[in-house]
Amino acid sequence: MNFDAKRLLLAGLALVAIYHVVTLVRGLPKLGSVRPTAGFILTGVFTDFLDTLGIGSFATTTTIYRATKWVKDALIPGTLNAGHTLATLAQAFVYTQVVEVEPITLVGMIIAAVFGSWVGAGLVAKWPTQRIQLGMGLCLAAAAALTFAQAAGAIPGGGDAIGVTGVKLGIALFGNFVLGVLMTIGIGLYGPCLLLVSALGMSPTAAFPIMMGSCAFLMPFASARFIRLGKVDPKAVVGNIIGGVPAVLVAAYIVKSLPLTAMRWLVAVVVAYTAVTLIMSARRNTAADAVTT
C-alpha cells in the first residue's frame, strides 16, 4: 500500500473513531455515570486480546454473555458491535501501518463490508428475540465449524499475493458484503474473512488489515443503528471499551503471537455448545408464542 493510500485510510479511521464516540455520547444517556462490573471489563480484556491475535471476539463474547446471563439475548448483537468498536479501531490502526495490502482490494473490501453491515443492522435491530436467538445460533454453529477447521489445519494456506483483480476481486467484494451482513447478527468477520482471502490466493497476513479495517469501518455505523433503537446494554458496552482497548495494545505490541491451536479447540467446543443453547431457546420461545396465540 503506498504512503498516500495508507495516510488516507488512517485519516478515515480517525474520523470513524470520532463518529463512534459522538454516537455513544449522544445515544446513551448519562454515559459518564455508567459503572460496568468487573466481569464486563474482564470480558473486554479477554475477548479483545484474543481478537487481536486472530481468534475473534464476537463468538467468545456471546458465549460469556449467554453463560452468565449478563446481557439479554435481544441486546447481544448491538452490544457486540458497539462495545468492541474502539478496540477494533485500535487494531486497524496498528495493522494498517505494518502489513502491506493492495489499495483497491483493501478499500473495496472495506466498503463492501460497511454496506453489508448497514443493510444487516437495519434488519436485525427490528427482529424479535427468538429470531435473533436462531440467527445467532446458526451463525455461531458456522463459527464453531470454522474454528474447528482452523484448529485442525484444514483452512487453505493461501498464496503470496497482496491483492486481487477481475473475477477474484468481484468474489472478494461480494464475500465481504455478506460477512458485513452477518456481523450484525453476531458472527465475527475475522475467521471467515481469513478463509476468503486465503481461498483467493492472497497471503493470510494480508487478511489482518482487511478484516480489521472492514470491522473498524462497519462497526461504528452498525452500532449507530442499534443504539438509536435502544438495542444495546450500556454497562456491557462501557466494560468492553475499558478492558478491550488496553488489551489490544498489549497483544499487538508486547505479546504479538501465542501458540493458539489449543485455545482454538477450546473456543470451538464452547461456541458450539452456545450455538445449540441459542437454537433451543429460539425453539422454546417460538413454541411458547404459538401456545399463547
Side-chain angles (χ1 to χ4, degrees):
M1 191 181 348
N2 61 48
F3 177 73
D4 287 339
K6 186 177 294 185
R7 186 166 59 181
L8 286 173
L9 189 59
L10 292 173
L13 289 171
L15 289 175
V16 295
I18 294 170
Y19 171 77
H20 182 62
V21 171
V22 171
T23 299
L24 290 173
V25 171
R26 295 181 62 182
L28 299 177
K30 301 178 180 179
L31 183 66
S33 62
V34 173
R35 297 291 182 267
T37 64
F40 282 134
I41 295 172
L42 290 175
T43 296
V45 171
F46 175 70
T47 57
D48 282 312
F49 180 86
L50 293 181
D51 197 45
T52 309
L53 299 178
I55 284 186
S57 61
F58 274 28
T60 49
T61 308
T62 300
T63 298
I64 293 171
Y65 289 165
R66 286 281 299 167
T68 58
K69 302 188 185 302
W70 287 340
V71 178
K72 295 178 180 178
D73 288 346
L75 302 183
I76 289 178
T79 301
L80 294 175
N81 279 274
H84 287 297
T85 292
L86 289 179
T88 304
L89 281 161
Q91 294 173 33
F93 270 110
V94 172
Y95 285 99
T96 296
Q97 297 182 70
V98 299
V99 179
E100 289 296 319
V101 183
E102 198 276 323
I104 293 178
T105 301
L106 176 62
V107 175
M109 292 183 73
I110 288 174
I111 292 173
V114 170
F115 184 61
S117 73
W118 182 255
V119 173
L123 297 173
V124 176
K126 299 174 183 177
W127 281 2
T129 298
Q130 60 264 36
R131 186 178 296 181
I132 292 174
Q133 290 172 328
L134 181 60
M136 286 195 300
L138 294 174
C139 287
L140 283 178
L146 180 58
T147 307
F148 274 122
Q150 288 176 321
I155 298 295
D160 299 320
I162 61 171
V164 288
T165 58
V167 174
K168 284 187 176 181
L169 179 59
I171 294 172
L173 297 179
F174 178 74
N176 235 32
F177 168 82
V178 173
L179 295 181
V181 174
L182 294 178
M183 276 281 291
T184 61
I185 301 175
I187 183 172
L189 181 140
Y190 284 14
C193 185
L194 176 61
L195 177 61
L196 173 64
V197 167
S198 298
L200 291 172
M202 293 178 63
S203 167
T205 305
F208 278 79
I210 291 173
M211 63 194 187
M212 291 172 179
S214 296
C215 293
F217 279 98
L218 73 84
M219 289 170 71
F221 299 104
S223 300
R225 302 195 80 170
F226 283 116
I227 290 171
R228 192 160 53 246
L229 293 170
K231 294 291 186 176
V232 301
D233 184 303
K235 286 187 177 181
V237 169
V238 174
N240 272 334
I241 293 171
I242 293 173
V245 175
V248 167
L249 301 179
V250 170
Y253 289 116
I254 299 176
V255 177
K256 296 183 179 179
S257 65
L258 285 173
L260 296 175
T261 300
M263 179 62 74
R264 283 198 173 99
W265 282 112
L266 176 62
V267 168
V269 171
V270 174
V271 169
Y273 170 77
T274 305
V276 171
T277 62
L278 276 165
I279 293 171
M280 291 176 65
S281 294
R283 293 185 63 182
R284 283 197 299 269
N285 286 336
T286 301
D289 287 346
V291 170
T292 302
T293 302

